[in-house]
């Protein structure tokens, strides 16, 4: 299968690596990126088979083309690319917003002389790191990968794309484009805005001694980790999902206003209920939750491949060095969590020793 990938950053590079890992003998990948360094690195690594010098060449024999660039550039690129694609080609993207994008691209495809199929896509995974250097062949393992087909999308087209995504290790999930944008505004876009706003709060309220900056570790650092993500991507996301973000933001404002009201009334019962209701619901999330800040300080994520025996390898390695594992969990999705395995230790000494041992065995670790 000939596959085109336009944009070889974190997501595009990971798609190429994942496909090559599973379909090394049965896939031929054509890559294009305005970042010549990333493009050359992908070619030198054998992740792509050839470099397309520009959009007008290289993709004329592709069965599937992944567009992995910021949302605000996707529709124009599709319009530019369409005349050079073969009939029955599947175009998909990885943009974090869908409704307006789908509507605009459908206008292009419906008037095109070519018979092509556009299916919106969005892998619910990522990292605060970005660029080809951050890409990974197992980034999509156990990650939800949302698809937003149209009412007239043929079943066989959707089937081909679903199977390709499954072989990359992801879990396909079919949603309408409008509901997709509402979902992501709630669980992805607004949380990122909140994380960035909290960083602004500390920055603005800090004094000459910078005590807030020095003390902003532990829980605060965990809570705001996603604020380190690529600002270009998040600017594009917010502008393209403006209506849904505004809608969800108003709901969030109402929650904050309610909290201020009960705080003003010194209502102990209502304050308790506010925190307890959130605690109970949060603890139902698939990956669980730890309410102890101390426990969080002694934890790390291991960015390990999801393969048979991987947990046994890691636990045996630590056990051989007399390191006690307090708890271990496998992430069911990777929208915000880096790594697939989370390990909790009883003390700092065990955490440090485990870090040294796993690093020596070339596991990638995150705190």
């Amino acid at each position: 299968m000939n596959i085109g990938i336009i944009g070889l950053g974190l997501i595009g590079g990971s798609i190429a690596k994942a496909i090559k890992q599973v379909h090394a003998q049965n896939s031929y990948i054509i890559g294009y990126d305005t970042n010549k360094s990333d493009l050359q690195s992908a070619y030198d690594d054998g992740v792509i088979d050839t470099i397309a010098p520009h959009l007008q060449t290289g993709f004329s024999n592709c069965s599937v083309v992944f567009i992995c660039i910021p949302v605000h550039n996707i529709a124009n690129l599709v319009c530019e690319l369409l005349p050079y694609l073969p009939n029955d080609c599947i175009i998909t993207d990885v943009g974090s917003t869908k409704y307006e994008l789908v509507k605009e691209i459908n206008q292009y495809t419906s008037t095109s002389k070519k018979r092509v199929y556009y299916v919106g896509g969005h892998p619910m995974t990522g990292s605060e790191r970005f660029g080809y250097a951050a890409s990974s062949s197992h980034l999509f393992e156990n990650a939800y990968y949302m698809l937003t087909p149209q009412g007239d999308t043929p079943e066989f087209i959707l089937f081909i794309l679903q199977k390709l995504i499954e072989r990359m290790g992801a879990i396909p999930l079919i949603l309408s484009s409008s509901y997709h944008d509402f979902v992501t505004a709630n669980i992805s876009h607004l949380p990122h805005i909140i994380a960035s706003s909290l960083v602004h709060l500390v920055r603005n309220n800090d004094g000459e001694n910078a005590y807030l900056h020095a003390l902003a570790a532990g829980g605060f650092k965990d809570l705001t980790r996603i604020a380190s993500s690529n600002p270009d991507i998040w600017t594009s996301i917010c502008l393209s999902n403006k209506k849904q973000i505004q809608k969800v933001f108003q709901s969030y404002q109402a929650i904050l206003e309610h909290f201020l009201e009960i705080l003003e009334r010194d209502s102990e019962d209502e304050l308790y209920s506010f925190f307890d209701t959130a605690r109970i619901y949060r603890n139902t999330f698939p990956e669980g939750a730890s309410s102890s800040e101390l426990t969080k300080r002694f934890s790390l994520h291991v960015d390990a491949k999801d393969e048979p025996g991987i947990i046994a390898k890691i636990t045996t390695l630590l056990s051989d060095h007399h390191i006690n594992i307090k708890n271990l969990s496998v992430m069911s999705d990777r929208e915000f969590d880096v790594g697939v395995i989370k390990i909790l230790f009883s003390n700092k000494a065990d955490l440090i020793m485990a870090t040294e041992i796993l690093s020596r065995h070339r596991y990638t670790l995150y705190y």
Side-chain angles (χ1 to χ4, degrees):
M1 178 185 288
N2 288 351
I3 298 172
I5 300 178
I6 300 174
L8 287 158
L10 171 68
I11 301 298
S14 295
I15 289 174
K17 289 179 178 180
I19 291 172
K20 273 299 178 187
Q21 181 171 272
V22 178
H23 298 285
Q25 304 301 320
N26 300 313
S27 64
Y28 189 87
I29 299 180
I30 301 96
Y32 175 84
D33 199 309
T34 55
N35 184 322
K36 302 306 179 186
S37 175
D38 282 354
L39 190 60
Q40 190 63 47
S41 294
Y43 180 75
D44 292 342
D45 291 346
V47 171
I48 62 174
D49 297 289
T50 191
I51 293 173
H54 42 72
L55 290 175
Q56 288 75 19
T57 59
F59 303 102
S60 60
N61 292 315
C62 287
S63 300
V64 181
V65 175
F66 288 89
I67 300 176
C68 311
I69 62 175
V71 176
H72 63 275
N73 294 326
I74 293 175
N76 288 337
L77 187 145
V78 170
C79 183
E80 184 179 352
L81 186 64
L82 273 174
Y84 308 101
L85 296 177
N87 284 324
D88 297 321
C89 180
I90 302 171
I91 307 171
T92 187
D93 69 287
V94 297
S96 295
T97 59
K98 285 275 119 20
Y99 181 74
E100 294 296 333
L101 180 63
V102 168
K103 186 168 65 173
E104 189 172 359
I105 291 180
N106 279 342
Q107 291 177 345
Y108 296 145
T109 57
S110 63
T111 57
S112 173
K113 295 180 180 179
K114 293 290 181 68
R115 185 178 65 251
V116 296
Y117 303 97
Y118 168 68
V119 180
H122 178 202
M124 296 293 288
T125 184
S127 169
E128 71 275 14
R129 301 172 301 154
F130 48 91
Y132 175 77
S135 63
S136 165
S137 63
H138 52 276
L139 181 69
F140 305 104
E141 288 179 354
N142 303 316
Y144 287 110
Y145 197 122
M146 293 192 279
L147 295 173
T148 58
Q150 302 308 292
D152 58 353
T153 300
E155 285 294 326
F156 78 93
I157 293 294
L158 191 57
F159 178 81
I160 291 171
L161 200 52
Q162 283 179 294
K163 289 303 176 184
L164 184 57
I165 288 167
E166 286 175 358
R167 287 167 186 167
M168 287 161 49
I171 305 166
L173 185 64
I174 310 299
L175 297 175
S176 69
S177 58
S178 58
Y179 189 63
H180 166 277
D181 286 2
F182 177 71
V183 168
T184 53
N186 276 272
I187 64 172
S188 178
H189 304 166
L190 185 62
H192 192 95
I193 294 167
I194 293 170
S196 296
S197 69
L198 289 173
V199 174
H200 279 290
L201 179 69
V202 167
R203 180 177 181 272
N204 294 341
N205 286 347
D206 212 356
E208 291 183 2
N209 292 324
Y211 286 134
L212 293 180
H213 181 271
L215 296 171
F220 184 87
K221 193 173 181 180
D222 291 341
L223 182 65
T224 59
R225 178 173 59 82
I226 55 175
S228 296
S229 300
N230 189 334
D232 182 54
I233 290 174
W234 281 97
T235 298
S236 178
I237 287 170
C238 289
L239 291 175
S240 62
N241 202 25
K242 178 180 176 180
K243 290 182 180 179
Q244 293 291 359
I245 290 174
Q246 287 174 324
K247 179 180 178 181
V248 175
F249 203 102
Q250 288 170 357
S251 297
Y252 181 61
Q253 282 180 309
I255 292 171
L256 293 180
E257 289 169 0
H258 173 66
F259 179 83
L260 288 175
E261 288 174 3
I262 60 178
L263 184 64
E264 178 66 25
R265 294 198 303 271
D266 295 323
S267 177
E268 185 175 344
D269 289 344
E270 288 180 284
L271 284 171
Y272 180 89
S273 177
F274 179 88
F275 291 114
D276 192 47
T277 301
R279 177 189 65 83
I280 292 170
Y281 185 67
R282 172 63 179 83
N283 287 350
T284 65
F285 291 175
E287 72 274 14
S290 171
S291 60
S292 169
E293 287 302 317
L294 184 63
T295 301
K296 289 181 181 178
R297 292 177 194 268
F298 303 140
S299 69
L300 59 79
H301 288 76
V302 184
D303 196 10
K305 293 183 179 180
D306 184 8
E307 59 185 18
I310 189 62
I311 295 177
K313 289 179 183 178
I314 292 172
T315 55
T316 301
L317 183 61
L318 297 178
S319 176
D320 288 345
H321 289 81
H322 309 291
I323 297 173
N324 180 53
I325 295 175
K326 187 173 183 179
N327 199 359
L328 182 148
S329 58
V330 179
M331 302 296 103
S332 61
D333 68 77
R334 295 192 182 195
E335 186 193 354
F336 294 120
D337 290 295
V338 290
V340 71
I341 301 171
K342 181 177 181 179
I343 306 175
L344 305 180
F345 301 95
S346 300
N347 53 65
K348 187 175 182 180
D350 281 350
L351 172 60
I352 293 172
M353 188 179 296
T355 301
E356 292 175 354
I357 293 166
L358 292 173
S359 295
R360 283 204 305 267
H361 285 78
R362 300 192 177 184
Y363 288 98
T364 301
L365 310 176
Y366 303 99
Y367 296 96

mmCIF file of all heavy atoms in Angstrom, residues 140-160:
data_model
loop_
_atom_site.group_PDB
_atom_site.id
_atom_site.type_symbol
_atom_site.label_atom_id
_atom_site.label_comp_id
_atom_site.label_asym_id
_atom_site.label_seq_id
_atom_site.Cartn_x
_atom_site.Cartn_y
_atom_site.Cartn_z
ATOM 1 N N PHE A 140 0.605 5.414 19.603
ATOM 2 C CA PHE A 140 -0.837 5.199 19.475
ATOM 3 C C PHE A 140 -1.345 3.965 20.203
ATOM 4 O O PHE A 140 -2.557 3.713 20.208
ATOM 5 C CB PHE A 140 -1.212 5.106 17.991
ATOM 6 C CG PHE A 140 -0.763 6.287 17.190
ATOM 7 C CD1 PHE A 140 0.338 6.185 16.360
ATOM 8 C CD2 PHE A 140 -1.394 7.508 17.300
ATOM 9 C CE1 PHE A 140 0.784 7.287 15.635
ATOM 10 C CE2 PHE A 140 -0.963 8.604 16.582
ATOM 11 C CZ PHE A 140 0.133 8.494 15.749
ATOM 12 N N GLU A 141 -0.450 3.197 20.798
ATOM 13 C CA GLU A 141 -0.888 1.984 21.474
ATOM 14 C C GLU A 141 -1.863 2.317 22.607
ATOM 15 O O GLU A 141 -1.569 3.129 23.476
ATOM 16 C CB GLU A 141 0.319 1.221 22.023
ATOM 17 C CG GLU A 141 1.134 0.561 20.926
ATOM 18 C CD GLU A 141 2.343 -0.180 21.475
ATOM 19 O OE1 GLU A 141 2.594 -0.079 22.685
ATOM 20 O OE2 GLU A 141 3.030 -0.844 20.681
ATOM 21 N N ASN A 142 -3.054 1.701 22.539
ATOM 22 C CA ASN A 142 -4.128 1.882 23.521
ATOM 23 C C ASN A 142 -4.728 3.287 23.525
ATOM 24 O O ASN A 142 -5.462 3.643 24.448
ATOM 25 C CB ASN A 142 -3.627 1.539 24.937
ATOM 26 C CG ASN A 142 -3.091 0.136 25.024
ATOM 27 O OD1 ASN A 142 -3.684 -0.785 24.498
ATOM 28 N ND2 ASN A 142 -1.952 -0.029 25.670
ATOM 29 N N ALA A 143 -4.424 4.075 22.501
ATOM 30 C CA ALA A 143 -4.990 5.427 22.406
ATOM 31 C C ALA A 143 -6.256 5.395 21.559
ATOM 32 O O ALA A 143 -6.320 4.681 20.549
ATOM 33 C CB ALA A 143 -3.982 6.382 21.780
ATOM 34 N N TYR A 144 -7.271 6.158 21.980
ATOM 35 C CA TYR A 144 -8.457 6.308 21.134
ATOM 36 C C TYR A 144 -8.102 7.147 19.914
ATOM 37 O O TYR A 144 -7.376 8.133 20.007
ATOM 38 C CB TYR A 144 -9.597 6.966 21.905
ATOM 39 C CG TYR A 144 -10.236 6.045 22.918
ATOM 40 C CD1 TYR A 144 -10.060 6.256 24.284
ATOM 41 C CD2 TYR A 144 -11.004 4.966 22.512
ATOM 42 C CE1 TYR A 144 -10.628 5.415 25.217
ATOM 43 C CE2 TYR A 144 -11.582 4.107 23.435
ATOM 44 C CZ TYR A 144 -11.391 4.339 24.787
ATOM 45 O OH TYR A 144 -11.949 3.494 25.701
ATOM 46 N N TYR A 145 -8.605 6.714 18.764
ATOM 47 C CA TYR A 145 -8.368 7.427 17.508
ATOM 48 C C TYR A 145 -9.744 7.702 16.906
ATOM 49 O O TYR A 145 -10.389 6.817 16.364
ATOM 50 C CB TYR A 145 -7.519 6.561 16.571
ATOM 51 C CG TYR A 145 -6.862 7.291 15.425
ATOM 52 C CD1 TYR A 145 -5.485 7.270 15.261
ATOM 53 C CD2 TYR A 145 -7.623 7.992 14.476
ATOM 54 C CE1 TYR A 145 -4.861 7.923 14.203
ATOM 55 C CE2 TYR A 145 -7.021 8.646 13.413
ATOM 56 C CZ TYR A 145 -5.633 8.607 13.288
ATOM 57 O OH TYR A 145 -5.034 9.255 12.228
ATOM 58 N N MET A 146 -10.210 8.928 17.034
ATOM 59 C CA MET A 146 -11.572 9.271 16.604
ATOM 60 C C MET A 146 -11.634 9.529 15.107
ATOM 61 O O MET A 146 -10.764 10.189 14.539
ATOM 62 C CB MET A 146 -12.069 10.484 17.388
ATOM 63 C CG MET A 146 -12.259 10.175 18.865
ATOM 64 S SD MET A 146 -13.167 11.448 19.758
ATOM 65 C CE MET A 146 -11.866 12.621 20.049
ATOM 66 N N LEU A 147 -12.674 8.992 14.475
ATOM 67 C CA LEU A 147 -12.935 9.187 13.056
ATOM 68 C C LEU A 147 -14.297 9.848 12.889
ATOM 69 O O LEU A 147 -15.242 9.503 13.590
ATOM 70 C CB LEU A 147 -12.903 7.852 12.316
ATOM 71 C CG LEU A 147 -11.557 7.118 12.276
ATOM 72 C CD1 LEU A 147 -11.723 5.732 11.659
ATOM 73 C CD2 LEU A 147 -10.519 7.925 11.507
ATOM 74 N N THR A 148 -14.383 10.792 11.954
ATOM 75 C CA THR A 148 -15.647 11.510 11.731
ATOM 76 C C THR A 148 -16.058 11.383 10.265
ATOM 77 O O THR A 148 -15.936 12.327 9.486
ATOM 78 C CB THR A 148 -15.495 13.002 12.115
ATOM 79 O OG1 THR A 148 -14.435 13.595 11.329
ATOM 80 C CG2 THR A 148 -15.155 13.146 13.587
ATOM 81 N N PRO A 149 -16.572 10.207 9.874
ATOM 82 C CA PRO A 149 -17.010 10.015 8.486
ATOM 83 C C PRO A 149 -18.300 10.779 8.198
ATOM 84 O O PRO A 149 -19.014 11.184 9.119
ATOM 85 C CB PRO A 149 -17.253 8.504 8.421
ATOM 86 C CG PRO A 149 -17.627 8.132 9.822
ATOM 87 C CD PRO A 149 -16.792 9.016 10.704
ATOM 88 N N GLN A 150 -18.569 10.943 6.926
ATOM 89 C CA GLN A 150 -19.810 11.585 6.509
ATOM 90 C C GLN A 150 -20.890 10.531 6.266
ATOM 91 O O GLN A 150 -20.600 9.337 6.200
ATOM 92 C CB GLN A 150 -19.569 12.402 5.237
ATOM 93 C CG GLN A 150 -18.500 13.455 5.395
ATOM 94 C CD GLN A 150 -18.750 14.334 6.610
ATOM 95 O OE1 GLN A 150 -19.694 15.102 6.666
ATOM 96 N NE2 GLN A 150 -17.892 14.203 7.623
ATOM 97 N N GLY A 151 -22.119 10.980 6.132
ATOM 98 C CA GLY A 151 -23.226 10.046 5.929
ATOM 99 C C GLY A 151 -23.076 9.204 4.684
ATOM 100 O O GLY A 151 -23.572 8.067 4.622
ATOM 101 N N ASP A 152 -22.371 9.745 3.660
ATOM 102 C CA ASP A 152 -22.227 9.006 2.401
ATOM 103 C C ASP A 152 -20.861 8.336 2.270
ATOM 104 O O ASP A 152 -20.500 7.865 1.189
ATOM 105 C CB ASP A 152 -22.461 9.942 1.210
ATOM 106 C CG ASP A 152 -21.506 11.134 1.198
ATOM 107 O OD1 ASP A 152 -20.752 11.303 2.183
ATOM 108 O OD2 ASP A 152 -21.522 11.896 0.214
ATOM 109 N N THR A 153 -20.110 8.280 3.371
ATOM 110 C CA THR A 153 -18.817 7.588 3.316
ATOM 111 C C THR A 153 -19.055 6.089 3.144
ATOM 112 O O THR A 153 -19.724 5.470 3.986
ATOM 113 C CB THR A 153 -18.005 7.820 4.601
ATOM 114 O OG1 THR A 153 -17.776 9.216 4.772
ATOM 115 C CG2 THR A 153 -16.667 7.098 4.533
ATOM 116 N N PRO A 154 -18.540 5.472 2.084
ATOM 117 C CA PRO A 154 -18.749 4.030 1.878
ATOM 118 C C PRO A 154 -18.180 3.205 3.025
ATOM 119 O O PRO A 154 -17.142 3.556 3.596
ATOM 120 C CB PRO A 154 -18.001 3.744 0.568
ATOM 121 C CG PRO A 154 -17.929 5.063 -0.127
ATOM 122 C CD PRO A 154 -17.799 6.082 0.962
ATOM 123 N N GLU A 155 -18.840 2.125 3.355
ATOM 124 C CA GLU A 155 -18.405 1.272 4.455
ATOM 125 C C GLU A 155 -17.009 0.716 4.220
ATOM 126 O O GLU A 155 -16.214 0.598 5.160
ATOM 127 C CB GLU A 155 -19.397 0.116 4.641
ATOM 128 C CG GLU A 155 -20.709 0.516 5.299
ATOM 129 C CD GLU A 155 -20.520 0.973 6.742
ATOM 130 O OE1 GLU A 155 -19.634 0.423 7.429
ATOM 131 O OE2 GLU A 155 -21.242 1.887 7.165
ATOM 132 N N PHE A 156 -16.675 0.377 2.968
ATOM 133 C CA PHE A 156 -15.373 -0.231 2.721
ATOM 134 C C PHE A 156 -14.241 0.777 2.928
ATOM 135 O O PHE A 156 -13.131 0.410 3.327
ATOM 136 C CB PHE A 156 -15.315 -0.846 1.315
ATOM 137 C CG PHE A 156 -15.111 0.132 0.188
ATOM 138 C CD1 PHE A 156 -13.833 0.410 -0.283
ATOM 139 C CD2 PHE A 156 -16.193 0.778 -0.395
ATOM 140 C CE1 PHE A 156 -13.642 1.301 -1.327
ATOM 141 C CE2 PHE A 156 -16.005 1.680 -1.433
ATOM 142 C CZ PHE A 156 -14.733 1.941 -1.910
ATOM 143 N N ILE A 157 -14.509 2.057 2.680
ATOM 144 C CA ILE A 157 -13.504 3.097 2.912
ATOM 145 C C ILE A 157 -13.228 3.225 4.405
ATOM 146 O O ILE A 157 -12.072 3.268 4.842
ATOM 147 C CB ILE A 157 -13.973 4.447 2.333
ATOM 148 C CG1 ILE A 157 -14.038 4.377 0.803
ATOM 149 C CG2 ILE A 157 -13.065 5.585 2.791
ATOM 150 C CD1 ILE A 157 -12.683 4.196 0.131
ATOM 151 N N LEU A 158 -14.292 3.263 5.185
ATOM 152 C CA LEU A 158 -14.147 3.366 6.632
ATOM 153 C C LEU A 158 -13.467 2.121 7.193
ATOM 154 O O LEU A 158 -12.629 2.213 8.108
ATOM 155 C CB LEU A 158 -15.524 3.559 7.275
ATOM 156 C CG LEU A 158 -15.544 3.939 8.757
ATOM 157 C CD1 LEU A 158 -14.752 5.203 9.011
ATOM 158 C CD2 LEU A 158 -16.984 4.117 9.228
ATOM 159 N N PHE A 159 -13.790 0.964 6.622
ATOM 160 C CA PHE A 159 -13.185 -0.297 7.066
ATOM 161 C C PHE A 159 -11.675 -0.282 6.846
ATOM 162 O O PHE A 159 -10.898 -0.686 7.732
ATOM 163 C CB PHE A 159 -13.826 -1.473 6.306
ATOM 164 C CG PHE A 159 -13.244 -2.805 6.649
ATOM 165 C CD1 PHE A 159 -13.634 -3.474 7.797
ATOM 166 C CD2 PHE A 159 -12.282 -3.400 5.826
ATOM 167 C CE1 PHE A 159 -13.092 -4.710 8.121
ATOM 168 C CE2 PHE A 159 -11.731 -4.633 6.139
ATOM 169 C CZ PHE A 159 -12.141 -5.285 7.300
ATOM 170 N N ILE A 160 -11.242 0.172 5.679
ATOM 171 C CA ILE A 160 -9.807 0.237 5.375
ATOM 172 C C ILE A 160 -9.081 1.119 6.389
ATOM 173 O O ILE A 160 -8.029 0.747 6.928
ATOM 174 C CB ILE A 160 -9.583 0.782 3.944
ATOM 175 C CG1 ILE A 160 -10.069 -0.233 2.906
ATOM 176 C CG2 ILE A 160 -8.109 1.127 3.721
ATOM 177 C CD1 ILE A 160 -10.094 0.307 1.490
#
